Amino acid sequence: MMGTGLRKEDKIFVAGHRGLVGSALVEVLEQKGYKNIVTRTRQELDLCNQAAVDAFYDEAKPDVVFMAAAKVGGIHANNAYRADFIGENLQIQNNVIWGAHRANVRRLVFLGSSCIYPRNCPQPMKEEYLLTGELEYTNRPYAIAKIAGLELVNSIRQQYGRDWFSVMPTNLYGPRDNFHPENSHVLPALIRRFEEARLSGAQRVTVWGTGKPRREFMYSLDCALAIIELAELTTLNDNFKKYFNDKFSHINIGVGEDVSISELANIVAESIEFDGAIEFNALMPDGTPKKLQDVTLLKALTNVEANSLKCGLMETISWFRNQKY
């Protein structure tokens, strides 16, 4: 089957539209003039229910699917709810992806995570480094689920000729993120912690871990724009053949720069105007030492200019304050 990019008249299903990246995809799609966007809340459609997903495809008949739905969380949640993270994500992925194949969806984009790469992966992480080493233990169930989804999309592309592909976003942040005090990712957790400290007049904030691990961060709307620009390409098969062999059908999404957690904490504190002390609890796990993605392929295929970390942070902090205070 020959692939074609997005068309303005396409019916586009964004699975996971209330999440960080899903909501960003909806916002950017609307900005770019795509008007026929289909969404379903968890109450309207249980993606863990195969019969319900199949019935949805029969009714909605989408042309394009952005698979952004997943059970997600930070290092604490990933480690504490290991069975939930692999079990639910495998169910959701299989139902949405196989359902899309049965429904003859023309283009599907599956969103993975940079945690699919080995714990001690060479830096920056290239797409072909997948499955070359041991995964980070704390998020291994989630990573294995994402690898399975990536492999399912790749296998369908190879066996059935569908011009589908996967993207591997780096650590994302932005409006509509999860700011839960225990189950959120590092950057929204820091925003909440420093903002609450500022408001309460606290003299110090404690950050989990040593502060030494390095992470790459991308503003969610920049990530959404990059994904949509890739989806708009008329065909991706030729590009994959140019850069990779048939083993790979995913593209890293990131900014190509990283910061240490210690540096990040100081940037967040400065942006929030918290002037107290920052302490690090080395008894808490650090996770993978370094995760920086190689974005050579992304830059070859798109023209996205990412916001700086400080600029994106200010937008995110502003959104958070408007929601909570």
Side-chain angles (χ1 to χ4, degrees):
M1 177 184 297
M2 291 300 295
T4 58
L6 272 60
R7 307 161 182 160
K8 286 297 189 286
E9 66 271 18
D10 278 338
K11 180 178 284 190
I12 302 173
F13 174 44
V14 179
H17 73 287
R18 285 186 166 178
L20 173 63
V21 67
S23 63
L25 283 166
V26 171
E27 183 173 337
V28 176
L29 283 167
E30 291 175 342
Q31 290 173 355
K32 291 174 71 69
Y34 295 96
K35 301 183 184 301
N36 198 0
I37 301 171
V38 179
T39 60
R40 292 290 187 275
T41 64
R42 188 174 302 178
Q43 291 71 33
E44 293 169 331
L45 176 60
D46 179 5
L47 297 180
C48 288
N49 185 323
Q50 181 180 346
V53 173
D54 289 344
F56 161 76
Y57 277 120
D58 289 340
E59 172 203 355
K61 296 180 171 56
D63 303 295
V64 176
V65 172
F66 287 96
M67 175 45 185
K71 181 178 181 62
V72 299
I75 188 170
H76 169 76
N78 270 275
N79 199 31
Y81 310 113
R82 301 176 71 83
D84 295 343
F85 271 84
I86 189 169
E88 290 185 30
N89 280 307
L90 286 173
Q91 283 184 306
I92 292 169
Q93 293 165 190
N94 286 338
N95 292 341
V96 173
I97 295 170
W98 272 115
H101 174 59
R102 285 191 290 266
N104 202 32
V105 167
R106 189 180 75 249
R107 168 142 289 177
L108 179 141
V109 184
F110 173 69
L111 278 69
S113 165
S114 60
C115 70
I116 65 168
Y117 292 112
R119 169 181 169 81
N120 296 315
C121 192
Q123 303 290 318
M125 301 182 295
K126 298 181 179 180
E127 285 87 350
E128 59 260 40
Y129 293 164
L130 177 67
L131 299 177
T132 58
E134 185 177 353
L135 297 167
E136 159 62 28
Y137 176 78
T138 54
N139 60 19
R140 188 172 66 191
Y142 179 74
I144 289 175
K146 286 296 183 180
I147 292 170
L150 183 153
E151 186 63 25
L152 178 56
V153 170
N154 195 29
S155 298
I156 290 175
R157 185 177 71 89
Q158 291 175 322
Q159 183 174 344
Y160 295 102
R162 295 200 180 278
D163 203 13
W164 294 2
F165 65 101
S166 301
V167 292
M168 296 299 120
T170 189
N171 299 287
L172 302 178
Y173 69 96
R176 299 172 292 272
D177 205 343
N178 171 22
F179 292 86
H180 190 278
E182 292 182 354
N183 294 335
S184 60
H185 288 99
V186 59
L187 204 154
L190 289 176
I191 290 175
R192 176 170 182 152
R193 202 168 299 170
F194 281 111
E195 176 69 353
E196 290 180 345
R198 181 186 70 84
L199 291 173
S200 67
Q203 297 300 305
R204 62 181 50 82
V205 166
T206 300
V207 179
W208 282 14
T210 64
K212 294 178 181 178
R214 300 188 67 83
R215 293 292 183 269
E216 177 184 19
F217 295 95
M218 187 178 198
Y219 190 51
S220 58
L221 294 170
D222 295 336
C223 176
L225 180 58
I227 293 170
I228 292 166
E229 284 196 12
L230 289 171
E232 288 174 332
L233 295 174
T234 301
T235 180
L236 277 168
N237 274 328
D238 290 340
N239 287 300
F240 284 128
K241 290 174 182 176
K242 177 180 177 181
Y243 288 94
F244 306 124
N245 56 39
D246 282 339
K247 291 182 180 179
F248 307 103
S249 64
H250 67 280
I251 300 171
N252 289 338
I253 308 288
V255 297
E257 299 177 356
D258 63 3
V259 296
S260 71
I261 298 302
S262 175
E263 291 169 332
L264 177 68
N266 280 281
I267 293 171
V268 174
E270 180 184 348
S271 299
I272 284 179
E273 298 182 344
F274 170 79
D275 55 8
I278 302 174
E279 299 175 346
F280 293 88
N281 182 359
L283 296 177
M284 302 305 293
D286 271 338
T288 304
K290 183 177 174 72
K291 287 202 304 182
L292 176 63
Q293 297 199 141
D294 185 293
V295 291
T296 301
L297 180 55
L298 176 69
K299 290 184 176 181
L301 297 175
T302 70
N303 296 306
V304 175
E305 292 291 336
N307 280 281
S308 69
L309 178 57
K310 288 186 178 181
C311 180
L313 261 179
M314 293 308 300
E315 294 290 332
T316 306
I317 291 167
S318 175
W319 182 90
F320 175 66
R321 284 172 171 167
N322 286 336
Q323 301 306 304
K324 189 173 176 59
Y325 303 106

